[in-house]
């Protein structure tokens, strides 16, 4: 869950940087914002995958204990 939340925060930070860069005409800041947003999306995806793996592991544990 923590990785997904961190990803969302990084995406928000990236969007804010992009907006600030556009408003001020700062292309570098805008590019940094796009990078931050992409990193956030990747981190969020990794967090989702981690949760799914944990759920599968828990499911398998439950099956083993029942046998």
């Amino acid at each position: 869950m923590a990785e997904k939340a961190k990803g969302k925060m990084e995406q928000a930070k990236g969007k804010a940087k992009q907006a600030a860069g556009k408003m001020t005409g700062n292309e570098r800041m805008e590019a940094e914002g796009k990078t931050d947003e992409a990193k956030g999306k990747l981190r969020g995806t990794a967090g989702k995958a981690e949760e799914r793996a944990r759920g599968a592991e828990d499911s398998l544990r439950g099956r083993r204990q029942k046998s």
Side-chain angles (χ1 to χ4, degrees):
M1 181 73 158
E3 285 302 307
K4 277 176 54 177
K6 288 178 184 177
K8 291 286 184 188
M9 290 297 293
E10 199 157 6
Q11 284 181 39
K13 180 179 91 170
K15 287 181 182 186
K17 257 188 185 179
Q18 283 183 64
K22 282 182 184 179
M23 288 177 58
T24 61
N26 186 335
E27 292 178 5
R28 182 176 178 183
M29 184 183 287
E30 191 175 343
E32 286 176 6
K34 287 180 183 180
T35 301
D36 289 345
E37 187 176 0
K39 284 181 187 177
K41 286 181 182 179
L42 184 60
R43 179 175 257 170
T45 300
K48 286 179 189 176
E50 186 179 313
E51 285 179 2
R52 286 188 187 135
R54 198 173 304 124
E57 181 181 1
D58 291 344
S59 176
L60 290 173
R61 264 195 207 129
R63 288 184 187 165
R64 282 190 217 139
Q65 290 174 357
K66 290 179 183 178
S67 298

